[in-house]
Amino acid sequence: MKTLGFIGMGNMAKAIAEGIIKSGKMSGQDVYAYAPHQDKLQKNAKAIGFMPCATMEELLEASDTVVMACKPYQIEGVLEMYRDALAGKALVSIAAGWDFAKYKPLLDASTRVQFIMPNTPAMVGEGVMLFEETHSLEEEERKELFDLFSALGLVEEIPSHLMGIAGTLTGCGPAFIDLVIEALGDAGVKYGVPRAQAYALVSQMILGSAKLQLKTGEHPGVLKDNVCSPAGTTIRGVNALERAGLRAAFLDAIDAIVG
């Protein structure tokens, strides 16, 4: 891969471009982007360091690998107009719902496709990048993409039939955890902790707890038990959360999305 081009430059595309450039895995001179709002594109280009393009034609001519980062409802129109220009290129889709099977009938046979589902923590280098197992990239291209996206967090290959549920967990999950941060922050404020400090304490606690589980590989239940002393304060709080149906609430949230 010599050059990378973004069709669209929303928040996720900005996070990906910035992460790749900051990591040194690609030079900003080799990263291109096109978006219809040129003023905003120029501003982002100056801040992040990529090369802004005035037209789609300019972008596609400059890029051998293209990231489809526009709104999902816009994609079919883009493919109809630029199907021939995408021939022979690698196309990476980060648009929700646009997997390999959906692209295949709309592209030239020479266009190679990889569907990736990122999530918002990628903006701070702590994301989860789900690579659909079914793809048509060349082996070396895929290795390069794995390496590029590893600058944004954890990279995992997922079977096509599990991309939906895996993407629900990683894509919607941050909103659920944000609710937890807000609720525990409110509890701190209730008992006198300034709000900004309460949020900082809770967010760092969640970050540390997550890193501890990832590093040790311990079952979350074991880590929970390690904090719960006999007749202690934590087990009382755990008991209250169990009575309130915390586990069931999270399961119900996923059911509401998937169902």
Side-chain angles (χ1 to χ4, degrees):
M1 181 191 309
K2 294 181 179 179
T3 55
L4 183 67
F6 289 83
I7 300 176
M9 189 44 62
N11 288 336
M12 191 56 66
K14 284 194 295 183
I16 294 170
E18 186 170 9
I20 288 171
I21 293 169
K22 279 188 174 180
S23 71
K25 293 180 183 294
M26 288 190 79
S27 165
Q29 300 296 311
D30 297 322
V31 178
Y32 297 82
Y34 166 76
H37 300 293
Q38 287 286 303
D39 290 346
K40 186 176 180 181
L41 181 68
Q42 293 287 341
K43 182 179 178 180
N44 288 328
K46 186 175 181 180
I48 296 172
F50 62 79
M51 306 298 291
C53 296
T55 64
M56 272 283 290
E57 289 77 8
E58 181 185 346
L59 172 82
L60 294 173
E61 184 176 349
S63 310
D64 54 40
T65 299
V66 177
V67 179
M68 187 70 77
C70 58
K71 300 295 184 184
Y73 71 86
Q74 298 172 320
I75 292 177
E76 195 162 355
V78 171
L79 297 181
E80 287 177 0
M81 188 171 295
Y82 296 102
R83 182 179 186 274
D84 292 343
L86 287 165
K89 297 183 184 293
L91 179 64
V92 178
S93 177
I94 62 169
W98 278 83
D99 59 6
F100 179 82
K102 194 165 184 177
Y103 273 103
K104 190 175 180 181
L106 301 176
L107 292 169
D108 184 85
S110 67
T111 305
R112 303 173 301 283
V113 180
Q114 173 69 67
F115 175 40
I116 301 174
M117 292 187 71
N119 67 352
T120 53
M123 296 177 186
V124 292
E126 295 290 352
V128 181
M129 310 291 116
L130 304 179
F131 274 60
E132 183 182 13
E133 186 177 66
T134 303
H135 66 93
S136 54
L137 295 182
E138 296 173 359
E139 183 177 351
E140 190 58 33
E141 285 177 326
R142 200 157 194 256
K143 287 180 180 178
E144 289 177 349
L145 273 181
F146 264 67
D147 182 57
L148 279 179
F149 277 78
S150 68
L152 306 171
L154 177 68
V155 174
E156 288 286 332
E157 181 179 83
I158 302 292
S160 298
H161 71 284
L162 293 178
M163 284 290 285
I165 180 59
T168 297
L169 294 175
T170 60
C172 302
F176 304 159
I177 299 306
D178 289 336
L179 284 173
V180 173
I181 294 171
E182 185 180 22
L184 288 175
D186 282 347
V189 171
K190 179 179 179 180
Y191 289 98
V193 181
R195 183 166 295 279
Q197 189 173 40
Y199 287 157
L201 294 175
V202 173
S203 294
Q204 179 59 42
M205 175 274 295
I206 291 174
L207 177 62
S209 299
K211 283 191 172 182
L212 181 62
Q213 196 284 322
L214 286 171
K215 186 172 182 179
T216 63
E218 287 278 15
H219 189 286
V222 172
L223 296 175
K224 179 264 294 177
D225 289 349
N226 290 343
V227 185
C228 294
S229 302
T233 56
T234 306
I235 191 63
R236 294 174 191 168
V238 168
N239 186 44
L241 290 172
E242 294 287 14
R243 286 200 311 270
L246 178 69
R247 296 173 194 249
F250 278 114
L251 287 167
D252 286 347
I254 298 302
D255 288 343
I257 297 166
V258 176

